[in-house]
Amino acid sequence: MPTPRVRALTALAAAAMAAPLSLTGLSTQAQAQTGSPSPSPSATGTSTTEIFGSGCSSLPKTGAGSAAVMAKQQVIAAATGNPQLSQLVSYVNRAKIANTLNTAKNITLFAPTNAAWQKLSASQRNTLVNNPTQLKKALTYHVVNQHITPAQLPNGSFTTKEGSKLTTSGSGTTFKVNNTAHIVCGNIPTANATVYLVDTVLMPPK
């Protein structure tokens, strides 16, 4: 019959062996309660589904123009509800390309904000407004016929709907287009497009 000392040592050994098993069970239980971990960010520091940029704070929180509502609408319908894009929508309608953009599949729109259009002189804006061909050319230079993710922005080169190339550069959540226009709010999803708001109007090369 084991002595009291042997029984005590046996009990201690059994407790030591049970502890790791107990911790493993707790870990498994915690994972089951919390679910699988969220996707890791992309190499740029922004996930492929995350909206980023200081200008995103200007988006309405709810209703027309909010990210949730824009995600359900075709791109120009979504832009119509965004208070930062009213000038762009006006020009798109004037150039008669709203339907073309709304029915396109998986496009990317680098959308100049109202502030971007105001950087142009009055004469530059008048020239565009009064020349439908030139206006259409300028607007379609902001459209790429593919879905561009944040991971593609650091060193990107893309052919636009206008036919010329544009480039993107940067890192983290700070990016430029053609090394001139800053992306102020990016990766906004719509039903058929991804939108990046830019603070400067892009002009196709002559």
Side-chain angles (χ1 to χ4, degrees):
M1 183 174 182
T3 65
R5 177 179 176 81
V6 171
R7 286 199 298 271
L9 290 173
T10 301
L12 286 172
M17 292 177 64
L21 293 173
S22 186
L23 289 172
T24 300
L26 286 172
S27 175
T28 303
Q29 183 180 10
Q31 288 179 0
Q33 289 176 348
T34 59
S36 58
S38 58
S40 58
S42 70
T44 66
T46 305
S47 78
T48 56
T49 58
E50 181 183 354
I51 295 174
F52 66 89
S54 59
C56 295
S57 60
S58 300
L59 294 179
K61 303 302 180 187
T62 58
S66 66
V69 171
M70 289 181 71
K72 300 175 183 178
Q73 299 175 313
Q74 303 302 103
V75 62
I76 300 306
T80 299
N82 189 312
Q84 298 187 68
L85 299 177
S86 59
Q87 194 67 68
L88 172 65
V89 171
S90 173
Y91 289 149
V92 164
N93 288 331
R94 189 175 185 88
K96 299 180 180 180
I97 59 172
N99 187 62
T100 299
L101 298 183
N102 278 335
T103 56
K105 304 291 185 182
N106 298 321
I107 62 174
T108 297
L109 171 63
F110 292 95
T113 62
N114 292 347
W117 291 105
Q118 289 304 312
K119 287 183 178 181
L120 298 179
S121 67
S123 62
Q124 287 175 312
R125 292 196 300 273
N126 288 335
T127 297
L128 285 174
V129 168
N130 295 320
N131 188 329
T133 300
Q134 190 172 341
L135 179 60
K136 181 178 179 180
K137 185 178 176 70
L139 291 171
T140 53
Y141 183 65
H142 293 76
V143 181
V144 176
N145 287 323
Q146 71 181 79
H147 168 55
I148 299 174
T149 68
Q152 295 171 282
L153 295 175
N155 188 28
S157 178
F158 309 98
T159 301
T160 68
K161 200 171 187 69
E162 179 269 339
S164 303
K165 294 259 186 193
L166 62 73
T167 61
T168 57
S169 59
S171 63
T173 58
T174 303
F175 297 100
K176 285 185 177 182
V177 184
N178 286 351
N179 206 36
T180 56
H182 294 85
I183 294 176
V184 295
C185 183
N187 207 31
I188 306 170
T190 74
N192 71 315
T194 301
V195 178
Y196 292 90
L197 305 187
V198 293
D199 67 355
T200 302
V201 177
L202 307 171
M203 289 298 182
K206 296 180 180 180

